[in-house]
Amino acid sequence: MRAIIIAILITWANPYLAFSQFNSSIDLIIGMDYSYRNLNTSSNEGIVISILEKRDSAETGKLNGRLGFNFNKRLTNKLHLKTGIRLASIGYKGEKKTGLKWGSEHDGMGGWTPDPNLPHEIQFIDDYWFIEIPIAGRYEFGERKLIPYIELGASPSFFLKTRTKTITDISTETRFHSEEPLPFNKFHLVGNVSFGANYLISENMQVFGQPIFRYHLTKLVDAPIKEYLYDYGIEIGIRRKI
């Protein structure tokens, strides 16, 4: 009986220990990241190589984000298994084309008269929306109020739709679509690695933050130029034991 009372007092006096010994918890997370893509090809055709080089020089990455929930299960004192569901957006900016001319602007004498009602610059920005299911192992270093950790895992991800923003010098339009012109892979496997820390704010609650890197192991489309999405950024969240 005395041992039980001592154990209860120790747990009450050390809420971080009480949290760390609890078997399950849930997280609410939000993330901000910089996303882009990696291009490569095994083709030796000049036109394919030329397109790849032009895209690499003209396209740029952009900021994106994600939102979702995690479920954590403690396997040992320091090892946790994480899964969940989240909505993720990842994409990049296409080439900005300038100096566009339209046939109706030709004056018939070799010159051009710009029409202010027609665009002369255009850029397409694509964001691919996925539902992802993270599956990761988290190893925590210690049982203190501030607990660093490392996390490694993979996320099966299912394509929902593409948001395409068309920006010209006279207007901006946004449309959503789920069909792509090339054979598009709608299931992606995404690997990820992160380093972070948990911080105890009460007996039942933690906050956490982690820099994270993700790489799509599945190519975006089946084409001579292989395109793999990736992103890096930071996730923050709040965790509650259940």
Side-chain angles (χ1 to χ4, degrees), residues 15-221:
Y16 61 90
L17 184 59
F19 191 100
S20 68
Q21 294 302 315
F22 217 81
N23 285 330
S24 302
S25 60
I26 55 173
D27 307 337
L28 172 64
I29 71 99
I30 186 170
M32 180 68 68
D33 47 60
Y34 178 86
S35 63
Y36 198 31
R37 82 294 174 278
N38 177 44
L39 301 179
N40 64 71
T41 183
S42 58
S43 174
N44 294 319
E45 296 184 20
I47 188 170
V48 174
I49 295 173
S50 177
I51 292 172
L52 187 151
E53 291 176 346
K54 182 173 177 58
R55 288 188 60 187
D56 264 342
S57 64
E59 297 174 348
T60 57
K62 64 184 294 292
L63 290 177
N64 266 300
R66 64 195 62 227
L67 177 69
F69 297 90
N70 297 326
F71 172 77
N72 305 279
K73 183 71 174 179
R74 183 171 65 89
L75 302 180
T76 70
N77 284 342
K78 295 184 179 181
L79 182 62
H80 298 254
L81 178 66
K82 182 184 83 174
T83 186
I85 189 168
R86 62 192 62 176
L87 174 66
S89 175
I90 179 169
Y92 54 89
K93 298 179 181 180
E95 176 186 3
K96 184 176 182 179
K97 298 180 179 180
T98 60
L100 300 180
K101 296 181 179 180
W102 302 85
S104 59
E105 297 176 324
H106 195 278
D107 61 11
M109 297 180 292
W112 298 84
T113 302
D115 183 345
N117 297 311
L118 295 174
H120 298 92
E121 296 180 358
I122 191 168
Q123 183 179 35
F124 297 100
I125 300 175
D126 288 325
D127 288 310
Y128 304 103
W129 287 15
F130 290 89
I131 287 290
E132 63 179 28
I133 302 173
I135 303 172
R138 182 175 71 252
Y139 186 85
E140 298 181 345
F141 299 92
E143 295 180 350
R144 301 174 297 277
K145 195 164 187 176
L146 179 65
I147 305 172
Y149 63 81
I150 182 172
E151 192 171 273
L152 184 67
S155 300
S157 299
F158 303 89
F159 171 74
L160 292 177
K161 59 182 59 181
T162 303
R163 181 182 66 182
T164 298
K165 182 181 290 187
T166 305
I167 302 175
T168 72
D169 50 332
I170 60 174
S171 67
T172 298
E173 296 180 358
T174 300
R175 69 184 183 95
F176 293 87
H177 53 101
S178 56
E179 298 300 325
E180 298 292 333
L182 293 173
F184 190 90
N185 294 311
K186 296 190 175 183
F187 171 79
H188 284 218
L189 183 62
V190 184
N192 63 268
V193 60
S194 63
F195 303 87
N198 305 319
Y199 183 79
L200 186 77
I201 56 176
S202 75
E203 180 180 349
N204 297 316
M205 304 286 287
Q206 284 180 333
V207 292
F208 61 91
Q210 58 182 41
I212 186 167
F213 173 76
R214 304 179 189 85
Y215 192 89
H216 286 233
L217 304 174
T218 307
K219 59 186 177 181
L220 194 62
V221 297

